Amino acid sequence: MPSLDEVLARSAAANPGNPAVVDPGRGEISYRELSGLATELAELLRRHGVRPGDRVGVYTPKSEGAVAAIFGVLRAGAAYVPVDPSAPPRRNLDFLSDCAVRVVFTDESRAAKLREEWGRDAKILDRLPSLGA
């Protein structure tokens, strides 16, 4: 059975221009674009020390950026840890610590609080791709 990343790669090869993610009111992203973003994010994770088997938090509302982050984590060989953005911040910080995540993908609005709680050395990536960018 193919992995999710393999399914994305096959879809990007077979139907590169077809929509992979549709965000009502904002636009859509093709399989080619999603696969390219996943590759970029996987490389970014590797530069931040993520290795196969590591855990990476995805702490952001549902969006095309969150989908790209998940596929980037998978493409890097890591495991993604979904974090509920509607949960209290302290609970999420405890959850991320308990899961021993190496890096967290989040949005700018949550990054400052994470850095404040985790310290300046925390690896927080707060520039997720967006259809509006």
Side-chain angles (χ1 to χ4, degrees), residues 9-58:
R10 289 178 186 176
S11 296
N15 304 294
N18 286 4
V21 178
V22 177
D23 191 348
R26 294 191 64 203
E28 61 187 39
I29 185 171
S30 71
Y31 283 106
R32 178 187 315 111
E33 292 167 321
L34 180 59
S35 185
L37 286 172
T39 297
E40 288 176 31
L41 294 174
E43 291 169 4
L44 176 65
L45 289 170
R46 289 183 193 109
R47 285 194 306 270
H48 282 276
V50 172
R51 303 285 179 253
D54 283 345
R55 293 172 206 86
V56 176
V58 178

Side-chain angles (χ1 to χ4, degrees), residues 100-120:
V101 299
R102 180 171 296 273
V103 174
V104 177
F105 276 122
T106 192
D107 51 42
E108 290 181 68
S109 65
R110 290 173 179 79
K113 180 68 173 169
L114 282 174
R115 284 189 180 94
E116 178 183 308
E117 294 288 330
W118 271 6
R120 293 155 83 202

